[in-house]
Amino acid sequence: MRLTVNGAQHHLVGLDPRTTLLDVLRERLHLTGAKKGCDHGQCGACTVLLGGRRVNSCLILAVTQPDAEIVTVEGLGHKGEPHPVQRGFLDHDGFQCGYCTPGQICSAVGMLDEVGQGWPSAVTDGNPDLLTDAEIRERMSGNLCRCGAYPNMVPAIKQAAGR
């Protein structure tokens, strides 16, 4: 099977059909940014972008994604220049222990793309382009932070969105 991860093609041979995308990323490709938090899709620590959409990689069997294009936190930004969301997290201290940070960042990148496409959320009040604090909190609610760094994540995401 073939996966494209962070722009590089990988051919996987002898893959157990029960192997999750998260385990392939961490154990086979040695990309350890995505974390195994709950392993049940409840915490978001394993969030990556699959075809541009944010997903919990612990819930996806790798064999169901032949020829998939995946971006992990390691694939964001450019050499020496972090992605705007990464820069926002640095500028606003949007992390404490850092365990959930890669998933938070990937989720924020996907969320900002959803906003850019005009997708509403449960709290959108007529204008999905209006990125209020409540809107950011709602859209990021699938990613948990046990340290409670949420107050710094909201301005970090606003900065990345240019607001």
Side-chain angles (χ1 to χ4, degrees):
M1 126 169 228
R2 180 179 59 212
L3 292 175
T4 302
V5 182
N6 300 332
Q9 281 200 0
H10 299 275
H11 298 278
L12 304 171
V13 179
L15 189 63
D16 184 323
R18 299 168 295 178
T19 306
T20 65
L21 179 57
L22 175 62
D23 288 335
V24 165
L25 293 170
R26 292 183 60 78
E27 297 171 15
R28 289 298 247 351
L29 303 181
H30 307 290
L31 295 169
T32 57
K35 303 294 189 260
K36 189 175 276 199
C38 66
D39 211 20
H40 296 295
Q42 297 174 354
C43 72
C46 66
T47 304
V48 299
L49 301 172
L50 174 63
R53 305 252 341 247
R54 53 190 171 149
V55 298
N56 290 335
S57 61
C58 73
L59 296 180
I60 297 175
L61 295 176
V63 297
T64 66
Q65 302 303 315
D67 301 317
E69 300 230 358
I70 298 152
V71 176
T72 68
V73 72
E74 294 95 339
L76 296 173
H78 303 289
K79 292 186 186 223
E81 185 60 34
H83 184 279
V85 173
Q86 291 169 317
R87 170 56 49 208
F89 270 65
L90 290 169
D91 290 350
H92 293 276
D93 195 23
F95 47 87
Q96 286 184 17
C97 81
Y99 194 82
C100 73
T101 304
Q104 297 277 3
I105 288 172
C106 283
S107 188
V109 169
M111 181 266 297
L112 290 173
D113 186 53
E114 293 165 9
V115 169
Q117 293 180 42
W119 295 8
S121 79
V123 299
T124 301
D125 189 21
N127 183 1
D129 289 331
L130 183 61
L131 199 54
T132 64
D133 290 2
E135 185 79 21
I136 291 171
R137 286 187 192 98
E138 169 64 23
R139 289 178 183 266
M140 293 294 292
S141 64
N143 290 79
L144 303 179
C145 173
R146 291 178 177 101
C147 298
Y150 302 116
N152 297 346
M153 291 180 197
V154 171
I157 293 168
K158 278 186 154 178
Q159 174 181 314
R163 311 212 169 151

